[in-house]
Amino acid sequence: MASVQDISVSAVINLISALVFLLAFAIARLQPINDRVYFPKWYLKGIRASPRSSGSFVNKFVNLDLRTYIRFLNWMPAALKMPEQELISHAGLDSAVYIRIYLLGLKIFVPITLLSFAVLVPVNWTSGETLDHIEDLTFSNIDKLSISNIPSGSKRFWAHVVMAYVYTFWTLYILYKEYKKISTMRLDFLASEKRRPDQFTVLVRNVPPDPDESVSKHVEHFFRVNHSDHYLTQQVVYNANKLAKLVEKKKSNHNWLTYYQTKYERDPEKKQKIKTGFWGLCGKSVDAIDYYTTEIEKLTKEEDEEREKVKSEPNAIVSAAFVSFNSRWGAAVCAQTQQSRNSTIWLTEWAPEPRDVYWDNLSIPYIQLSVRRLLMAVALFFLTFFFMIPIGFVQAFASIDGIRKVLPFLKPLIDMDFVKSFVQGFLPGIVLKIFLILLPMILMIMSKIEGFTSLSSLDRRSAAKYHLFVIVNVFFGSIITGAAFEQLDRFLHQSPTEIPKTIGVTLPMKATFFITFIMVDGWAGIAAEILRLVPLIMFHIKNTFLVKTEHDREEAMDPGSLNFSVSEPRLQLYFLLGLVYAVVTPILLPFIIIFFAFSYMVFRHQIINVYDQKYESGASFWPDVNRRILIGLVISHLLLIGLLSTKDASQSTPLLIVLTVLTIWFHKFCKGRFESVFVKFPLQDAVVKDTVERTTEPNFNLKEYLQDAYLHPVLKGVDFEVSKEIDDEEKNSLVATKRTSRRSSKTVSNGTSEDQKTVGEIQLVF
Amino acid sequence: MASVQDISVSAVINLISALVFLLAFAIARLQPINDRVYFPKWYLKGIRASPRSSGSFVNKFVNLDLRTYIRFLNWMPAALKMPEQELISHAGLDSAVYIRIYLLGLKIFVPITLLSFAVLVPVNWTSGETLDHIEDLTFSNIDKLSISNIPSGSKRFWAHVVMAYVYTFWTLYILYKEYKKISTMRLDFLASEKRRPDQFTVLVRNVPPDPDESVSKHVEHFFRVNHSDHYLTQQVVYNANKLAKLVEKKKSNHNWLTYYQTKYERDPEKKQKIKTGFWGLCGKSVDAIDYYTTEIEKLTKEEDEEREKVKSEPNAIVSAAFVSFNSRWGAAVCAQTQQSRNSTIWLTEWAPEPRDVYWDNLSIPYIQLSVRRLLMAVALFFLTFFFMIPIGFVQAFASIDGIRKVLPFLKPLIDMDFVKSFVQGFLPGIVLKIFLILLPMILMIMSKIEGFTSLSSLDRRSAAKYHLFVIVNVFFGSIITGAAFEQLDRFLHQSPTEIPKTIGVTLPMKATFFITFIMVDGWAGIAAEILRLVPLIMFHIKNTFLVKTEHDREEAMDPGSLNFSVSEPRLQLYFLLGLVYAVVTPILLPFIIIFFAFSYMVFRHQIINVYDQKYESGASFWPDVNRRILIGLVISHLLLIGLLSTKDASQSTPLLIVLTVLTIWFHKFCKGRFESVFVKFPLQDAVVKDTVERTTEPNFNLKEYLQDAYLHPVLKGVDFEVSKEIDDEEKNSLVATKRTSRRSSKTVSNGTSEDQKTVGEIQLVF
């Protein structure tokens, strides 16, 4: 058990490291050379001109204006200044709503903290006889402020029960208000959006095969009959996975070509040689520039052939299509209704926006989809509860003895003292760390196997899996030590009333651990996020070796994006901790408040200046966020029940069960009240938008507008004119406003800027 | 433990009582005087003429033709003869699908029984050493055939595990086939149906109040804007509950009037007097005929006033409406889409057919609905687990001591030996029995409070509640003796792995109890069903006192209907028993097969000759049936796991868990594959029907047709002409075919025959 002193020391250490990160960031961001690392969003928007294009030579790389260093924290107020409406139009609704989660944390926990310190801390503190008398347990001052300080069977527990009620109702009230606010924001956002292809389009999956007609004709006939007044056009989906791979490969070869060309230009004397064999380690040695030039030529030819093949061969068309309607009303109707009497064919849903489409998953038959989900559910169960078994196996292998046995030729090496201690001390930890770093990728692959059709739904789905993992392995895993499968086994042999007791009783003792966790993961981790160390290094490497044109430099920027599938479940852990410890050990709450406030500022800054979202789903993740906070609330009730029944206060159990039931009911209520806003599109809004548009632009050619919106990105952009235009303007990046407007108009005409970039990549090769 | 002999005796007794019922039925049904009790369906259809209108006086009441008695079981083949297609058009899809549940039972259990007797019975029998040596438990021959006969840890348990697999896959296969078949039947039924108002109509609930417009105008404007091409007309809902009560009261008074008139006619000397006070027990004594005549006059006036008030006052219009569209496509679209951005207003769903509407529940606000469901869920929990507490209280009160204390003046009475033994022996049982008889009504009231808007959904909902009750209190309650709340308490303090063991281990011992139960409840109970003792008596009482015209006689018939909310959950108990005991004690299976076969015949007969369904929902209950059988399957797996782990065969647990997971997955799969057929209406089918109709009847006036379809039944039928016409034809009931056709055409023009009857009832009073 850590004392207040220990916690203070830890707090100071973590505060210092957070400060170091912040200082490093404050200095690094002022250097012109890093401008594209810390402000890529503005470059992508075309509003910011490179500071390197003016000024003296040194000024191009290092900021020598000392006055700017004085106000090194001035990014904080700046981040908070942008009003929400502007933020939405600047960064999209997804991002704007995402940072509202942190704000939500503050809204929930600031009043709870104040109340806790006003009521529960005095109640716990003044009941101070118990712990002084117990000698066998080491209790610290922190425990004097926690529920542990109250003797069993004391009447004082009523204060905790009443507070549990107050906190629960407050949380539900805030959640309700927030859900309402966000559903309004979403609807307003959708209503205010400009014309977009996905507003008129429905994704049709599981088109049944027809012996007499092509998929394209079949789809057209079906919708012409069943939506006769509204059908406009359709776009079949090509299986362009092979083509996409070729494009990818060509891009990589092209990067290598640029790399060797740059090297050659710097040192024309030295011939650049590479080996053609496995990973460049063996094989014939050839001239690098020649090699890549011919490779690229070869790939270009292959690519052209493949592209022709895809476009002409009927087998390349998968059993899915994007069907567009002449009004939003028509699309809304088609997306929400059942088309065929067989509910596994002609499945319709809102089309994701073009850049959000996950093309590989569009043509999975219903029964296969169903089997895949079963397998993945089973896999998730084993991954969550039994991941320690293979990890343990690898760790055993990564031990001294394991290496000696399997790789005997390494024996002299590992017998060296330094290597030995490294292997023994770090390797097992590193194996686990590597697994944890890989985990989000594994979960994403699992979600992909499950067959979701849009990147946004893949993200949401992975987040759900990760959330389960975090709750089981981080939260419960920290409270009850031992691997998850051991816990599982124990719980299977305990009664349902025993489990909350087992966990509840250890709860107060783990408070100090979680406080440290919050400081390390929450405070220092978030400060590291703003420094963007990895993108910083990557940008400078790329900048040195791959950048020749201004366009290349734009390519080298890695703005990154909010990684919803990882950051949201982690964030949920803080809600869970706050809700659980609000009644038990209120001293933990200020740490959580600092986390939320600090994160809010950092992410607001990142969203404004750095991140470039890959898609815009209109905050469709909010139902998940709401549900997970409610899960946290239910867990907090159950653990409190357990804790109080070990304290001879089990007469409070029915009262707390009422809270649990109420919380679950609130979830159902919210689901019925708001969730459809995030799933369906109300016809009333569709009619309003249709009417407005028909009045203002009566002669707009919608069919032409939608023509190629849902073409696979690699099948687009075979015309050279557009690409040249891009290059021209890319160089002339000072003409900011003009470029922005052109960009947005291009986005409309060609789908998305993501496609645009890909197009640019393909064409650069020629 | 009952031996084979005990079981045989019980079987003989129950077979005899079943035979007595059957014989009584066979004789009673041949008497012309009972014709309307045993063949009401045909009267209602207008196909059967009363046998009493011809022949000699005696022949009118008693069948003297002895030849007909010889073939007293010939109703059985007759019941089986009608082909399914004819059955559907004769009795409706609901009934035809309902009896398929019994057929499904046969399809599942006949092969399972054969396999069990071929494999498991020999395996159990030949392993016969164990039980002979154990002296402290009394084992019977039946146990020699059950799994109890196999020693712990025997390899023979593999046979049971393999059979569990075979049975599960067989059950799932049959369930899948049946679900597929029934969804096709439903779609074909819907497609083949004639034009009906509900095909074009959507029920709109939670119409938001508008300060400037009436509900009617508001609804019209909203749908004219948002479904501009499809909106046709709308019908607001009047709050006619008070009026309905008046009508009801008048009808009851009218019955009394007829009763006293009949009495007076038979014995004109004696003046019929009644007392006007409480329940006719006290108050002023007046002439009965005069009293009721003035009462009816008064009520008629009140009724007219109320009717005027309802039709003119804006407050009498509730916030719901039936909106009709000019095509099935338009209605299907409106029913399946979200209208407003606020998902708690303008809620649309398919309108139930007019006679299926539950008028009282149409205008409950969303939040109130949500609270009501919460309260009812809590109430159901307490009802299921704690119902024994109030019953026990009443039982205590109903004991000798209780009565002595509370009603001391009864002391001399209850001290009589006969009364004493009656009170002690029967009263507690009768209290419980009364509760069990009242239970379905309590559950139905709970479902009504939950706010469902159609009789069919109320039935389905009550069935779900009753199913829970049956599983907890009948199935588990019989296996583990003790009240449900005691079980609940025990389970809360046992580990999740312990619970299946506790139940599993007592499972084989309870086989004989359940065999007896099947014979009493299943065999004799079903035979009693066909005799229809209560309707038989009621008909003759009514016939004697209330019937004056042929129409009154038709009124006096009580055809009854399939009571889905009670009979389906009871039936599910047999599936559960069969699935659980298929592996454990196969000897139980033949009893279940006899139950299914016998019930199938009886209910087929009843459906053809007796029952008159109140509504037609198109077998929309099937998803529930399928789900409940799967619940039974999962319970059977869990109990088998428990049983085998007490038999030192817990290595089979993972194998059986796989089965459970598979079953749950199958449920999800079926849900996705078929359920939407029972909830939504595919647009493809709607278009086909619309097109056909437009081609064949291009000039049909749909608006006029739909005009009054959804008027509250008591608001209809104020014209006297129609009622006279009915009376005329009612007397002339030999003109069968003409009448049928008139009836069906009337059904079209006026909604339903149910309404028709109500109309008749109202008008008879004048």
Side-chain angles (χ1 to χ4, degrees), chain B residues 664-683:
Chain B
I664 294 168
W665 172 79
F666 176 82
H667 167 62
K668 282 204 164 187
F669 174 76
C670 277
K671 211 175 151 82
R673 172 76 178 76
F674 296 116
E675 197 170 285
S676 64
V677 170
F678 295 84
V679 183
K680 296 173 174 180
F681 186 52
L683 295 186

Side-chain angles (χ1 to χ4, degrees), chain B residues 104-114 170 574-579 582 589 592-593 596:
Chain B
L104 178 69
L106 290 176
K107 282 183 199 162
I108 291 177
F109 288 113
V110 169
I112 287 185
T113 309
L114 294 176
W170 173 252
Y574 293 90
F575 278 100
L576 178 62
L577 287 177
L579 292 168
L589 291 175
I592 284 182
I593 288 179
F596 279 124

Side-chain angles (χ1 to χ4, degrees), chain B residues 632-647:
Chain B
L633 202 55
V634 168
I635 291 178
S636 82
H637 295 148
L638 295 179
L639 295 187
L640 188 60
I641 290 175
L643 178 59
L644 288 185
S645 25
T646 60
K647 288 268 192 182

Side-chain angles (χ1 to χ4, degrees), chain A residues 209-262:
Chain A
D210 189 303
D212 305 326
E213 282 182 316
S214 67
V215 172
S216 161
K217 282 283 163 219
H218 195 189
V219 170
E220 181 169 348
H221 289 164
F222 185 86
F223 285 95
R224 243 188 226 304
V225 168
N226 294 314
H227 294 266
S228 48
D229 301 339
H230 308 285
Y231 172 81
L232 186 69
T233 178
Q234 51 93 9
Q235 172 71 59
V236 291
V237 177
Y238 296 99
N239 183 356
N241 297 345
K242 198 181 159 195
L243 183 60
K245 260 181 218 149
L246 287 175
V247 170
E248 194 64 26
K249 201 172 163 194
K250 201 168 81 172
K251 196 188 153 197
S252 143
N253 279 342
H254 180 76
N255 278 345
W256 282 113
L257 179 63
T258 320
Y259 169 74
Y260 284 111
Q261 279 174 337
T262 318

Side-chain angles (χ1 to χ4, degrees), chain A residues 173-221:
Chain A
Y173 169 69
I174 292 290
L175 281 177
Y176 177 79
K177 258 184 57 182
E178 193 70 14
Y179 212 148
K180 195 169 180 179
K181 168 84 183 158
I182 294 205
S183 63
T184 320
M185 278 168 77
R186 175 178 161 90
L187 285 166
D188 290 344
F189 177 74
L190 295 180
S192 70
E193 265 182 331
K194 287 214 206 73
R195 182 184 288 117
R196 272 181 16 185
D198 52 302
Q199 292 165 344
F200 298 91
T201 307
V202 160
L203 168 59
V204 181
R205 286 185 302 151
N206 298 17
V207 177
D210 189 303
D212 305 326
E213 282 182 316
S214 67
V215 172
S216 161
K217 282 283 163 219
H218 195 189
V219 170
E220 181 169 348
H221 289 164

Side-chain angles (χ1 to χ4, degrees), chain A residues 399-419:
Chain A
S399 69
I400 299 283
D401 289 344
I403 293 174
R404 267 206 205 106
K405 232 179 255 170
V406 183
L407 306 167
F409 56 89
L410 285 180
K411 214 183 155 208
L413 185 74
I414 55 169
D415 280 344
M416 282 156 64
D417 269 358
F418 166 74
V419 178

Side-chain angles (χ1 to χ4, degrees), chain B residues 358 361 364 368-373 375-376 442-452 458 465:
Chain B
Y358 184 68
N361 275 349
I364 304 168
Q368 193 185 332
L369 211 62
S370 189
V371 172
R372 281 172 176 220
R373 297 214 171 146
L375 293 178
M376 284 308 110
I442 297 170
L443 296 176
M444 180 56 90
I445 290 168
M446 284 169 66
S447 304
K448 281 178 180 168
I449 293 173
E450 282 184 300
F452 291 90
L458 284 170
K465 295 192 176 75

Side-chain angles (χ1 to χ4, degrees), chain B residues 559-595:
Chain B
S561 57
L562 273 177
N563 192 352
F564 181 81
S565 62
V566 177
S567 50
E568 198 269 346
R570 284 200 183 157
L571 170 54
Q572 285 290 347
L573 182 62
Y574 293 90
F575 278 100
L576 178 62
L577 287 177
L579 292 168
V580 166
Y581 280 105
V583 180
V584 175
T585 312
I587 194 78
L588 187 132
L589 291 175
F591 294 88
I592 284 182
I593 288 179
I594 291 173
F595 163 76

